[in-house]
Amino acid sequence: MEAIESESFKFTNPVISKKKWTGYTLLISGVSVGNVGQLAVDLFLANLGDNVQKISAIYDEAVLPVVGKDQFNQGTCTSLELFKGNKIILLQQRSPFAKGRIPSFRRKLVKWIKDCEFSDVFMLSSVSSHVRKDKDIAGSTIRYLTNSQCVKETAADKSWLEYCVTKNSDKEDDYHLPGAGIVKSLYEECKRNSVTFTAFLIFCNPGNNIVEATQLVMHANSYLQLFKMADDDQLKMPLSWKVPLKCETGYIF
């Protein structure tokens, strides 16, 4: 636990840094184009309601500091926060990385994940829509990237589409993920460390991406089953989203 107890990657609740989370899934927000991953995790938190609670904040020099009003309990929120639900831990990142600090953060994050013995790791993120091929234009804009056999089997049953945009190289898995933040490097780091990892990605552009965040949450929840949808297909809007919006998908906030 040397990296955890150094001056970076510090937990405000020290007990959490050493706790085993065997049987729990870790859900991480990706800092990406349109902030979709962060919006999606806030949507999950809002709809989990009283079934989730904040258990710690994390300080790391790789993530720019931020302090603001907590939308859930009227306290304060910071750059990195951990929330606990029923067999789920959510890691919300609210600010971008400091230049050049991503590799060290990624290594410490994966080490913590391994030490905690999470059963699965999921990341919600987005990727710039300009990389879509002709075959990607029609149909769902959501893709998955995984090293989990279970997710692959479920994806096959549900006819989900795998992310397949690669660079012009000899490597089949040299993925091209502009705007997706650390998805590619974290996926590779998890593979090297035998950590099960899945990213759910949605093609999008900068701007108001509440619709895309909603679609991503509905897709991820169909696998994770973190909450049940109401009969009227409504999702609860986080308090920080003040303007009601009726989405093209029919979901109302």
Side-chain angles (χ1 to χ4, degrees):
M1 301 292 292
E2 293 181 1
I4 300 299
E5 296 178 355
S6 69
E7 63 182 34
S8 60
F9 217 82
K10 276 189 173 181
F11 291 74
T12 56
N13 182 353
V15 174
I16 299 300
S17 68
K18 300 178 183 297
K19 186 174 177 60
K20 301 296 184 184
W21 296 104
T22 307
Y24 275 73
T25 294
L26 177 65
L27 180 64
I28 308 172
S29 65
V31 179
S32 56
V33 58
N35 307 109
V36 177
Q38 295 158 298
L39 292 172
V41 169
D42 270 348
L43 257 181
F44 265 119
L45 292 172
N47 286 274
L48 286 168
D50 293 338
N51 295 318
V52 67
Q53 60 180 334
K54 183 159 66 176
I55 57 174
S56 184
I58 301 174
Y59 164 77
D60 191 274
E61 60 190 4
V63 182
L64 297 179
V66 65
V67 177
K69 183 178 180 181
D70 190 330
Q71 61 174 311
F72 302 107
N73 60 20
Q74 306 304 310
T76 57
C77 67
T78 54
S79 304
L80 288 168
E81 296 179 319
L82 279 180
F83 298 83
K84 176 183 176 293
N86 182 24
K87 293 298 182 180
I88 184 75
I89 299 295
L90 301 98
L91 175 58
Q92 175 66 297
Q93 180 175 341
R94 301 191 184 279
S95 62
F97 291 104
K99 186 175 180 180
R101 299 297 178 88
I102 290 177
S104 63
F105 176 84
R106 186 180 63 242
R107 289 191 295 269
K108 287 178 283 188
L109 176 62
V110 173
K111 183 182 185 304
W112 174 68
I113 289 171
K114 290 200 70 172
D115 289 344
C116 290
E117 300 177 357
F118 286 105
S119 60
D120 289 290
V121 179
F122 286 82
M123 174 170 270
L124 303 181
S125 192
S126 51
V127 59
S128 182
S129 61
H130 79 270
V131 299
R132 288 184 294 175
K133 309 291 186 183
D134 289 344
K135 63 181 179 180
D136 297 315
I137 301 298
S140 174
T141 55
I142 297 176
R143 301 290 185 270
Y144 72 90
L145 182 63
T146 188
N147 61 4
S148 165
Q149 188 59 38
C150 184
V151 173
K152 289 179 180 179
E153 291 173 0
T154 299
D157 292 339
K158 293 178 176 288
S159 299
W160 288 347
L161 299 174
E162 186 173 11
Y163 190 84
C164 59
V165 181
T166 58
K167 293 182 178 179
N168 294 323
S169 69
D170 296 331
K171 296 173 60 179
E172 292 184 359
D173 61 349
D174 191 10
Y175 296 105
H176 184 40
L177 287 154
I182 67 170
V183 169
K184 179 182 177 181
S185 60
L186 185 58
Y187 169 73
E188 293 171 343
E189 187 83 22
C190 286
K191 282 182 66 175
R192 285 193 295 270
N193 287 273
S194 301
V195 172
T196 302
F197 176 85
T198 300
F200 287 128
L201 302 146
I202 188 166
F203 291 113
C204 77
N205 295 306
N208 187 329
N209 287 295
I210 291 179
V211 172
E212 287 77 6
T214 305
Q215 294 170 342
L216 194 59
V217 166
M218 299 298 293
H219 182 88
N221 194 56
S222 70
Y223 183 87
L224 296 171
Q225 297 291 303
L226 297 186
F227 63 87
K228 293 182 179 180
M229 283 299 302
D231 293 337
D232 54 4
D233 283 343
Q234 287 188 346
L235 291 180
K236 181 180 179 181
M237 182 182 71
L239 294 177
S240 58
W241 301 3
K242 295 181 179 179
V243 181
L245 173 71
K246 184 173 182 179
C247 301
E248 296 175 359
T249 57
Y251 305 117
I252 302 174
F253 297 81

